[in-house]
């Protein structure tokens, strides 16, 4: 009832409303109630309010999806995955979606006429004909933890520089916040907020060239502009 007008409400205010209604939230109980409501498609995350997440009724923000026959749903899932994540392979799609290899192959067969394909390392890679240009070698990004760029693929060797072939075997190196230059992951990073500034620590996999250091510095400044905070950065010892 408290969310029925579609207005986002911060977590502490929701906890207070639950307590007034006789629903206890102490410990982790409130968190798990909100988690369960999200899994049941009752609520979803809204914009942050300072350091607090807000919640809204899902139906207030997202129109109900039409029900689809299974084969049509599989085809639509494949279309969305390969147009947003391509170039990617059937094993990648099965990994990301939780489908079996057979189901994933059936799904791609239904939409491949709308995709482009190219064989590499004995695997067909599918992608949208409308895919944008590949990031140039001048482009650097500070990616967040669990970014789709690192978690949406079964094999991650293509996003690592050749001099770092074993980094994909350590999950923390691709599931942590990562440093990307020219489409390749070159390290990890952390941040802390204190005193009205953002302290960013870069942890490269190897020694950074002066050019790479400059690119990452620019990326850090863009992140600071997003936070609307001044940035102080440093390079820590190489990631393990």
């Amino acid at each position: 009832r408290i969310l029925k007008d579609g207005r986002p409400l911060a977590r502490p205010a929701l906890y207070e409303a639950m307590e007034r209604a006789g629903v206890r939230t102490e410990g982790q109980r409130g968190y798990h109630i909100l988690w369960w409501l999200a899994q049941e498609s009752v609520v979803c995350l809204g914009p942050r309010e300072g350091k607090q997440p807000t919640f809204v009724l899902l139906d207030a923000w997202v129109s109900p999806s039409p029900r689809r026959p299974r084969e049509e749903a599989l085809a639509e899932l494949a279309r969305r995955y390969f147009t947003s994540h391509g170039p990617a392979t059937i094993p990648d799609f099965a990994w990301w979606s939780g489908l079996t290899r057979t189901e994933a192959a059936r799904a791609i067969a239904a939409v491949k006429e709308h995709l482009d394909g190219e064989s590499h390392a004995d695997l067909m890679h599918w992608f949208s004909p409308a895919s944008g240009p590949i990031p140039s070698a001048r482009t650097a990004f500070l990616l967040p933890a669990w970014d789709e760029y690192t978690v949406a693929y079964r094999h991650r060797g293509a996003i690592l520089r050749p001099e770092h072939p074993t980094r994909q075997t350590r999950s923390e190196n691709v599931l942590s916040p990562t440093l990307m230059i020219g489409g390749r992951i070159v390290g990890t990073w952390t941040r802390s907020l204190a005193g009205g500034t953002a302290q960013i620590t870069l942890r490269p996999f190897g020694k950074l060239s002066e050019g790479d250091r400059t690119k990452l510095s620019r990326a850090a400044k863009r992140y600071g502009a997003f936070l609307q905070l001044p940035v102080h950065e440093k390079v820590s010892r190489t990631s393990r």
Side-chain angles (χ1 to χ4, degrees):
R1 289 195 299 271
I2 199 170
L3 293 175
K4 67 181 181 181
D5 62 357
R7 180 174 58 89
L9 201 62
R11 183 165 55 187
L14 277 175
Y15 286 173
E16 290 175 10
M18 290 179 189
E19 291 286 352
R20 288 196 301 269
V23 179
R24 301 193 318 276
T25 63
E26 71 272 11
Q28 293 292 309
R29 195 167 191 270
Y31 171 84
H32 284 290
I33 289 171
L34 290 176
W35 175 87
W36 177 76
L37 290 172
Q39 295 295 312
E40 292 294 309
S41 302
V42 176
V43 301
C44 65
L45 284 169
R48 292 187 73 84
E49 187 176 290
K51 294 184 177 181
Q52 288 293 335
T54 68
F55 295 84
V56 294
L57 288 179
L58 182 65
D59 288 347
W61 276 26
V62 181
S63 300
S65 299
R67 297 190 66 83
R68 301 173 185 266
R70 180 170 178 78
E71 293 303 312
E72 181 183 329
L74 286 174
E76 179 63 13
L77 186 63
R79 184 190 68 79
R80 294 189 186 192
Y81 174 78
F82 286 100
T83 55
S84 61
H85 293 75
T89 66
I90 289 177
D92 292 329
F93 178 47
W95 158 270
W96 177 84
S97 64
L99 297 172
T100 66
R101 292 285 186 93
T102 299
E103 290 173 319
R106 200 163 73 240
I108 189 66
V111 297
K112 65 181 181 181
E113 64 184 57
H114 304 293
L115 302 171
D116 282 346
E118 185 173 324
S119 181
H120 178 71
D122 297 324
L123 280 174
M124 184 62 72
H125 290 66
W126 300 96
F127 51 95
S128 169
S131 294
I134 296 173
S136 76
R138 297 188 301 274
T139 307
F141 295 99
L142 273 59
L143 299 182
W146 299 94
D147 190 83
E148 283 289 288
Y149 196 76
T150 59
V151 304
Y153 304 93
R154 179 67 182 87
H155 301 290
R156 304 183 179 101
I159 65 173
L160 294 165
R161 284 183 171 176
E163 62 265 34
H164 309 308
T166 63
R167 294 294 178 174
Q168 64 177 317
T169 64
R170 296 179 62 86
S171 295
E172 66 269 28
N173 285 332
V174 291
L175 304 182
S176 301
T178 51
L179 306 173
M180 186 180 81
I181 300 177
R184 298 287 181 88
I185 302 303
V186 299
T188 61
W189 65 283
T190 58
R191 71 121 205 233
S192 60
L193 303 179
T197 64
Q199 176 69 55
I200 294 179
T201 302
L202 309 178
R203 292 187 170 88
F205 292 154
K207 185 176 177 58
L208 290 173
S209 68
E210 184 176 344
D212 283 352
R213 181 69 180 84
T214 299
K215 296 166 194 171
L216 291 171
S217 181
R218 290 173 182 158
K221 286 180 171 59
R222 290 197 304 269
Y223 180 62
F226 171 76
L227 295 177
Q228 297 182 330
L229 291 173
V231 167
H232 297 292
E233 57 182 282
K234 66 176 181 179
V235 177
S236 182
R237 62 186 178 83
T238 302
S239 292
R240 292 180 179 180

